[in-house]
Amino acid sequence: SVGRNDSIATATPVGNGTVVASISPYIDPLTANTANPDTDCYKLIATGGAAVHVETEAQRRNSYNPLNTVIEILDANGARLTSCTSPAFTSTCLNDDIDSTTTDSALDLQVPGSSTSQTTFYVHVFDWRGDARPDMSYGLEITGVIAPLQIEPEIGNSVRGLSISEQLNTQGGTGHVTWAVASG
């Protein structure tokens, strides 16, 4: 589940594959006077030198009532990166339409840094027209990134005061995972 991810601070971590989402255009409640920008943010991590591909499928997914998606790739401060568009990787990381046949968007990013470094960056998806509704879905396809760290399984039902024992495993992420009991 993607959840609310309207800013870099609340960005959803994602890995390779397709995320299906809809843009949440309004602040809760829906009857609020101030509209929230039609926007979604996703957190990605990639190895330096990697080629990352990001593409939306809105019109191709929902041709009868599509979003007009725009994507940009940002750093942690919200500044747009400038190493996009293969093969030169010298353009600003903003795309409105792939070509004249679709309103879907795509970008290729050459991740800065050496192959021993990792970079965190953000994909910002927004609706060009500003008329997004929750029934207007899009797919976000991503390749070339590191899968986010996941701990499995989720701890199920427990009862206060009783011991619980569960074997935890990690999937995705990089580096060494250290386990510790914070309290109790």
Side-chain angles (χ1 to χ4, degrees):
S1 174
V2 173
R4 291 298 289 230
N5 60 342
D6 297 326
S7 69
I8 287 176
T10 58
T12 301
V14 294
N16 295 306
T18 301
V19 174
V20 178
S22 64
I23 296 175
S24 303
Y26 297 104
I27 295 173
D28 293 329
L30 290 176
T31 57
N33 291 332
T34 307
N36 202 13
D38 300 341
T39 187
D40 284 341
C41 291
Y42 300 92
K43 180 179 180 178
L44 292 91
I45 300 173
T47 304
V52 174
H53 179 76
V54 179
E55 184 171 334
T56 60
E57 283 188 349
Q59 183 178 17
R60 291 171 287 171
R61 178 175 289 277
N62 186 0
S63 62
Y64 56 90
N65 196 7
L67 290 167
N68 184 349
T69 56
V70 176
I71 56 176
E72 64 179 341
I73 300 179
L74 310 171
D75 66 14
N77 297 315
R80 189 177 307 133
L81 299 181
T82 57
S83 58
C84 284
T85 311
S86 111
F89 296 112
T90 57
S91 298
T92 186
C93 295
L94 175 70
N95 183 261
D96 179 18
D97 298 329
I98 294 173
D99 57 35
S100 62
T101 66
T102 182
T103 58
D104 295 341
S105 301
L107 284 172
D108 290 309
L109 167 71
Q110 181 73 49
V111 179
S114 71
S115 62
T116 59
S117 67
Q118 294 178 0
T119 300
T120 300
F121 54 96
Y122 299 84
V123 173
H124 179 216
V125 179
F126 56 98
D127 175 36
W128 184 258
R129 291 186 312 259
D131 63 352
R133 297 186 318 269
D135 65 325
M136 300 167 87
S137 66
Y138 68 94
L140 180 67
E141 294 181 31
I142 300 169
T143 60
V145 298
I146 299 169
L149 178 66
Q150 295 178 327
I151 300 173
E152 297 174 344
E154 291 185 25
I155 303 288
N157 294 331
S158 61
V159 177
R160 186 178 182 152
L162 296 179
S163 296
I164 186 169
S165 177
E166 188 75 52
Q167 176 68 40
L168 300 176
N169 299 298
T170 62
Q171 183 176 343
T174 62
H176 180 71
V177 176
T178 302
W179 300 93
V181 176
S183 66

